[in-house]
Amino acid sequence: MSAPSTHLVIADDHPLFRDALRQAVAGVLSTAKIDEAGSFEDLTKLLEQTSDVDLVLLDLSMPGISGFSGLIYLRAQYPAIPVVIVSASDDSATIRRSLDFGASGFIPKRFGVETLRDAILKVMEGDVWVPADTDLSAASDPDTTRLRDRLVTLTPQQVRVLMMLSEGLLNKQIAYELGVSEATIKAHVSAILQKLGVESRTQAVIAAAKIAGGQWKQGTPTG
């Protein structure tokens, strides 16, 4: 399987692992165009500049994201682009949550190049790939499911704001980073609280951290 138009993005902050993934991709898609991003900011800039990306291989933990925040943002902002998680955190709960949030597959970093190639090929053919020994049958906690369903109603910009709240940034700092007014950020925060069914910024961050299984970094959100 090899098409000149195939365009993949490898998003991982470890150059050596990006190189390993690049080799795995080249093994099944020899003529594919492959871009790399070492941070979530690099990834979003790249996606803003090109609309022909066929697949994103995303690490769960890299500069700019923590836990499932990056996946949630990508599914909201670019719903047509499949995202496969490639992570060292590969317990069944993490894999199940990745699929719940819209991932097209989950590849543990511990696997070798041959498995990486097989997984990438399956996803490019439209299948969902997870390790064969993954137990996805365990029932989800009802409260976690409700939180997840609320979290996916956030707009891409609201996800970005919640990510920054989780890092402990103030409204004025978030406004500066996103290039909008502080009033706009206050409106986003109000909408986030309403959608998540919570009353404060701190509760919103705790909710986000809970749905991420503790992987969503918590800062000290204040005014």
Side-chain angles (χ1 to χ4, degrees), residues 54-120:
D54 297 297
L55 179 67
V56 173
L57 299 173
L58 179 71
D59 188 8
L60 276 179
S61 182
M62 61 188 299
I65 61 172
S66 185
F68 301 99
S69 58
L71 174 60
I72 295 167
Y73 175 81
L74 292 178
R75 299 309 300 142
Q77 182 71 23
Y78 305 102
I81 302 177
V83 179
V84 171
I85 299 301
V86 184
S87 177
S89 302
D90 58 2
D91 58 280
S92 293
T94 299
I95 295 174
R96 186 175 65 242
R97 282 194 174 119
S98 296
L99 299 182
D100 286 344
F101 282 124
S104 295
F106 191 106
I107 307 174
K109 284 189 172 182
R110 59 184 166 85
F111 285 171
V113 172
E114 289 302 320
T115 303
L116 290 174
R117 288 176 177 171
D118 178 62
I120 291 166

Side-chain angles (χ1 to χ4, degrees), residues 109-163:
K109 284 189 172 182
R110 59 184 166 85
F111 285 171
V113 172
E114 289 302 320
T115 303
L116 290 174
R117 288 176 177 171
D118 178 62
I120 291 166
L121 185 58
K122 292 291 187 185
V123 171
M124 293 303 295
E125 291 175 343
D127 295 334
V128 173
W129 194 96
V130 297
D133 59 354
T134 303
D135 178 13
L136 299 175
S137 62
S140 298
D141 173 65
D143 290 338
T144 300
T145 300
R146 279 193 292 272
L147 265 178
R148 181 201 69 207
D149 292 344
R150 289 175 173 176
L151 204 54
V152 297
T153 67
L154 299 180
T155 66
Q157 192 78 326
Q158 288 165 359
V159 174
R160 293 296 292 271
V161 171
L162 181 55
M163 289 162 67

